[in-house]
Amino acid sequence: MSSVAQTPQRPLPGAYLQTPTVGRYQTSPANPLFSRAPAGLQQPNRSVQISSKAVTQPSQQSGQPNQNGQFEARSATETVNPITRASKSINETLDQELRYPELDTYLGQGVSSEYDISAKSAWAPFQKIKMYPIPDRIFEQYNRAQVSTMMGLFAEFNHAWITIDNACYIWDYTHPNPELIGFEEQQNSITAVRLVVPRPGVFVPSVTHLLVVATTAEIILVGLGAEASASGGMKVSLYQTRMSIQVRGMDINVIEGSPVSGRIFFAGKSDNDVYELTYQQEEKWFQNRCGRINHTATGISTLTPSFRFAQRQSAEYTIQMVVDDSRNLMYTLSSVSTLRVFHMKPNARLDLVITKTLNDLLNNIGHLTSPTDLISKSMQIVSISPTSAREASKIHLMMTTSTGCRLFMSATTSYGYVINDPSNAPTSMQLQHIKFPPSDSSTSQVNQQQPPAPSTGNVQALSTSSKSLITTRTSSRYSPGYFFCFVSREPQSQTDMLFMSAPDAGRIARPSEPPSTSRYFELGLWLNLGSRAEDIGLASPQFSASSTPTGFANELAVQYDKPTTEIAVLTNTGIHTLRRRRLVDMFASAIQTGGGSGGLEAEVKKFIRLYGRAETAATALAVACGQGLDVTGDSRVASILEPEVLEYARTAFIDFGGKPKLNERLLVDQSLPSVDMVRPSPRHDGLAMYIARLVRSTWRALVAQEMVSSTGGLSVLPTVSLTKLRDVQRDLTKLQEFLSTNKSFIDGLAGPEALGRASTKQDEVSLQAEHRALHSLVVLISSIIEGIAFVLTLFDERVEEIVLSLPNETRQQLRTLTYEGLFCSLSGKELAKELVKSIVDRNIANGSNVDTVAEALRRRCGSFCSAEDVIIFKAQEQLRRAAEAGSGSELGRNLLNESLRLFKQVSENLSMEQLQWAIAQYLSMDFYAGAIELALNVAKETDRGNRALSWIQEGRLVNDPRAIAFTSRKKCYDLVHQVIAALNTASRQNPDMVDGQLSPTSRRRSEAYSVIDNSEDEVFQIDLYDWYLNQGQADRLLEIQSPFIITYLERKASEDITHADLLWKYYSHWSRPHEAATVQIDLAKSSFSLSLDTRIAYLSRAKANASTYAPGFGRQTRQVLLREVSDLLDVANIQDDLLQKLKVDARIAPERKEEVLKQVDGQILGLTEIYNNYADQASYFDICILIYHAADYRNPIDVKETWQNLLEQTHQEALERKNAYPYEAIANKVRLLGTRLDLSESTFPIADLVPLLERYAFEFQKDVGPKTWVIDTFLDLQVSCEILFTVLEGMLYNDEVPFHGVNRRIIAGDMLYVAQRWYGDTARTGRVFGSEANASGVLSALGTMMGNGLGAEQVEECRELRSRIEQSLR
């Protein structure tokens, strides 16, 4: 609000005929209200204008965008949390590794023979771990053999088996003195043995597998249970199932099972049929517990048993069966190299869908490659290996020829589309790709033990005639492409050579040149077994990096996350165990055997050339952190921790990590800051890659899962094993230590001193970007380490009890919390803190010391349980102890004060839930002052910059970010309001005095309000005042003595009439009348919706206040204020007169009257508008005269003319009202205006009014009423007799019409009447007529009057008066 400091000089109405002056009380002129005015008052272009300041209203603030379309200027880039930036890098890396090419992309239509075979052991794809000999007890049994023996592996259990005639023996080949487990319960020679997975629900849970034993007479199902032993191996037990079928004369040689469905298939040498062994838990009608089905024969022969009394070998029979459960397909290979494809259907159905002979296959091969000796009718297909749908979309099967060629087959429908739906059967199979054997030179080098030149990584040229794999006896392929080929050089040789190859994942993953082509790079290795191979098997789970073909074969992604693949090869002398060597193992071994700094540098450069700098940096970092593994001399797989190796790996990471690069294509975008145009170095990418691979299996996994326990209760289990979490934490801790130790050598971590090495501005910006990226990863490492520590701590507790104690919302958040969310998101951190609090609460409830528990948590996971959290726990414990001691005791109050002190120390870290809990506890113990003090302290800490206050002061702008700060503080203030409400309730319920002393409630009330009154938080005070008003406690504001209350009310006064009223009442209450008058004046002038009466009331109060003495304000200041309020009040009164006339004016149409009254009964109008738009047009002459007076208008002609019109109008109105005495109306009007005008000489000119009234009385009211009513009217207004006598004397001497001739006696009579009154009034003072001069003048006039037609009675009175005057003059 604002007020007028000084009233400007009042101009005259009509002073400028064409340009109206600015009115002090003027608003814009309204449309003319009346169509005409009396002719005597119409003055063209004449207006009355008085200047006035209106109450200043604040400009309305809105949330509309500025001219640039923005609410406010924003920086070019948003501030990104380091952990958020790092998590983005990890996610990008994980997503990139999931885009690893699928098998079909680098095994496209065509041929290849790329192998990288090096005699250097460092680059070997596989490594021999150990050779376990066959136990002597086996040889003892073997020597007793009479008919036949066979050997094989159950590699998944680390067990081997051998059949000797009718007995089968199983042993743990990894045990130095294994126990033989024998199956000897039948008398027939064993022809085949296979381990399969049974159909679920048929056997007890302890039977995990079935040992299918085929003899010359029957097939027997033996239950097998495998479980982990105390020594770390596997313990195998055999169980009788009493299930068997007769197969006499079939000479069973092949058995295969489906791990998913539990179906068992078999075939024999007596025919080329495929059979299925069916089994069930119990016998049924017409169905035994065990049976067989012939899926290839027709008619009744499929169900009837065949009776063969002598074995005979068929010309064609099945030599291998393999099952692909991912596509519901089974493949068989016959002795004449014919491939048959069966589609497995429900209800024990098996449909033959494809038959592909060797000739068909040769025809397909002819379309892919030119003729070669390796592909001919003389070759044979020696083995087949399926490829699951998870690994490849197109490739279904790999076939190996006796010449060592690998044929990759693809099954299609009749429409040519690849089969991916297991329910659909393929209709044809086509050759997709041929992989030829490695060159002959690799074989000769192995045979002659001649090391070749150092491998450069360049693959061999395409060779289609190499005989290195002739003659291949058998082969196996395991995901994601491990190939094991057993080669016998001589037909009768008892010694096999083993060729092994594996995909070079690092080279396959790199973008190809040109991008449209991908090559199948493989690393190869020859191994001389020194004996004949009998079997091969996986001693570890099947490899898979993802569940889809894309990313499935990415060995690099899981080299730190999953155990390496191990393979067991059984020969007639023992079991050879091999391990797949990871890229990190190759790098470590290459450094270990590099031979001098030159050789080491060459190896590193080779890695960079083959795999890129980022992959090399990631691998070198892993080696430096101890990830490299190698087989030791005592056949153990151990970490490579030689200082020389670790040091050179460190050097490689630091020196060959590359540099950040400025993206010049982004330089045109000026909206990006320079650091965002920099791509971090390959060293950064390598670090991100290493971290991503370490946390790969945990990153997106849920932290916990809720399950129902066996007893029906809640069970909360980790989705990632705690052992795995500890391994990840250990590896990350090593990485953290490495980076901390070497940060001074790493560009980007070296600190500000590294900027001194920058030679250009571009280098400096690049270093800044590198530092930002690397620092983010370092922060993330710490967060992950502590996050895992927290999870380990959580599951060390009774996690079920903790989960049940959580609110439903928090519990739901825990169900969906991932490790990424825990490590990187604020919500995850907050949830973890809630869990930490629950852990502490549970331990305290169980009697543990809070310091011990909190310290243990802080030490293990500091970011989830910081020093501030420890203080919070201590404060909460103090509160609990206070509750136990009682708030009324001295100990209880001391504990409450101590808890308040501790809470205030960590106000910035208190969550809203913790604050609410503390406030509730304080209220329960009547600690009102502490509750208020804590809430105010937290509010202050949440907005240290006091942004909320500036937001309030600037009008609470919409869409302003500072509003968030106010919202945060408001939550704390709402708690204070609750405390005040509780305090008031307690005060009403308890007496103020007890035994003449203040009651405890009164003392606490005094303490609480002392905190409130002494608070310097202006935002709180504003919010408190708002709350008082909302509660209907406006009077409370009048009692407050605070500098903030006036500021608050002044700010609000311009927006709300309630606050404005409170402001002047507050000033009046505290005896500050001048300020109260100022506010009241502003209210009268304001734009609030107030009636005119209300505004006049405000002005009346303001006039009273302005007239009161106010300390601190000078006389002149008070006079200026009084002048302003008086002027405003005069105008307002005139407007009120106008309003009353308009209400009863019948000339205004009813539909227009409401609008007109609304315009007038509101804001105080300007005199110009009142005169021109209303009074002048409506012929309200009395109001016009009042306007002349208020405007100090001094044109006597206009004034006289207006008076004359007023008299005529008043007379006419009196006649219309049929008033018998119009003179009375005239007299009353004159008396009223005389009083209002204070007998002003300019607007109440007696010299003009007396003649006007005398003439009116003579012409219109002759002989009506008292003869002296005109003179009495003026005398009633205290007009002096001297003035009246002078005016009348002038009229007598002027002889004006109509007072001439005999009519002069009328004036003479009035003169006599005035003279008599004058004499009577002055005779009592001792000085007649005030002076002798006046007396002499009266005597003279009386003499003249006597000769002007006075009646006899009046003449006598005149003589008598003259006599008395003369007597008094003597």
Side-chain angles (χ1 to χ4, degrees), residues 1114-1303:
R1115 181 188 181 102
Q1116 182 179 0
T1117 303
R1118 289 187 285 111
Q1119 288 297 327
V1120 169
L1121 183 64
L1122 185 58
R1123 167 77 179 277
E1124 180 184 4
V1125 68
S1126 299
D1127 290 344
L1128 274 173
L1129 188 57
D1130 290 343
V1131 175
N1133 286 326
I1134 293 173
Q1135 185 173 333
D1136 185 58
D1137 294 339
L1138 172 66
L1139 177 63
Q1140 302 309 317
K1141 284 183 173 290
L1142 291 172
K1143 288 180 179 180
V1144 298
D1145 197 324
R1147 294 174 295 170
I1148 308 175
E1151 60 274 9
R1152 174 76 169 133
K1153 178 173 289 189
E1154 182 178 356
E1155 179 184 352
V1156 173
L1157 295 179
K1158 184 177 180 180
Q1159 293 173 355
V1160 177
D1161 190 13
Q1163 285 185 291
I1164 299 176
L1165 305 176
L1167 288 175
T1168 302
E1169 184 175 0
I1170 295 174
Y1171 182 83
N1172 292 332
N1173 294 347
Y1174 300 99
D1176 189 24
Q1177 291 189 42
S1179 299
Y1180 296 155
F1181 300 114
D1182 50 350
I1183 294 178
C1184 290
I1185 294 171
L1186 292 173
I1187 292 174
Y1188 294 159
H1189 176 73
D1192 199 15
Y1193 185 64
R1194 296 177 179 272
N1195 189 329
I1197 297 176
D1198 289 339
V1199 173
K1200 182 177 180 181
E1201 184 178 5
T1202 303
W1203 271 106
Q1204 185 174 351
N1205 289 331
L1206 174 62
L1207 297 178
E1208 293 175 0
Q1209 184 184 63
T1210 305
H1211 175 77
Q1212 187 64 33
E1213 290 175 354
L1215 293 178
E1216 291 174 358
R1217 289 196 297 267
K1218 298 180 179 180
N1219 192 327
Y1221 305 106
Y1223 79 92
E1224 292 181 348
I1226 294 293
N1228 289 334
K1229 180 69 70 175
V1230 172
R1231 278 195 293 268
L1232 176 62
L1233 285 178
T1235 303
R1236 293 278 299 275
L1237 299 175
D1238 199 21
L1239 303 181
S1240 169
E1241 293 180 1
S1242 58
T1243 54
F1244 196 80
I1246 296 174
D1248 293 329
L1249 291 178
V1250 171
L1252 285 174
L1253 287 176
E1254 291 287 0
R1255 186 180 304 113
Y1256 167 77
F1258 177 77
E1259 294 178 352
F1260 297 99
Q1261 295 292 296
K1262 189 174 182 181
D1263 298 328
V1264 178
K1267 295 182 179 180
T1268 60
W1269 69 265
V1270 172
I1271 302 303
D1272 288 336
T1273 299
F1274 287 103
L1275 291 176
D1276 291 342
L1277 291 171
Q1278 303 299 316
V1279 178
S1280 66
C1281 294
E1282 181 180 1
I1283 295 174
L1284 292 174
F1285 191 85
T1286 303
V1287 172
L1288 291 172
E1289 186 179 16
M1291 293 178 64
L1292 182 66
Y1293 292 149
N1294 290 337
D1295 198 20
E1296 295 180 359
V1297 176
F1299 302 109
H1300 57 83
V1302 294
N1303 293 334

Side-chain angles (χ1 to χ4, degrees), residues 830 833-834 837 866 868-876 879 899-919 922 930-931 933-939 941-942 968 972 975:
E830 293 300 323
K833 289 186 176 182
E834 285 295 319
K837 181 177 178 296
S866 61
E868 290 78 11
D869 294 328
V870 174
I871 295 176
I872 292 173
F873 296 146
K874 289 181 179 179
Q876 291 172 341
L879 262 179
S899 69
L900 176 60
R901 184 187 68 82
L902 292 173
F903 275 132
K904 288 172 63 178
Q905 287 183 17
V906 290
S907 295
E908 184 180 2
N909 306 95
L910 278 179
S911 67
M912 183 52 59
E913 291 77 12
Q914 291 170 332
L915 176 61
Q916 290 172 344
W917 180 86
I919 297 297
Y922 283 151
E933 188 174 351
L934 177 59
L936 294 181
N937 208 60
V938 172
E941 291 298 326
T942 58
S968 299
C972 300
L975 295 177

Side-chain angles (χ1 to χ4, degrees), residues 173-194:
Y173 60 77
T174 63
H175 198 283
N177 186 22
E179 175 189 1
L180 286 183
I181 303 172
F183 173 69
E184 304 171 330
E185 284 77 11
Q186 56 89 32
Q187 302 299 321
N188 302 302
S189 295
I190 297 174
T191 60
V193 175
R194 188 67 174 174

Side-chain angles (χ1 to χ4, degrees), residues 730-749:
R730 182 189 64 248
D731 293 337
L732 286 172
T733 301
K734 291 180 180 179
L735 174 61
Q736 185 183 49
E737 293 172 354
F738 173 84
L739 295 175
S740 177
T741 304
N742 297 280
K743 64 180 180 180
S744 59
F745 306 103
I746 301 173
D747 288 344
L749 291 180

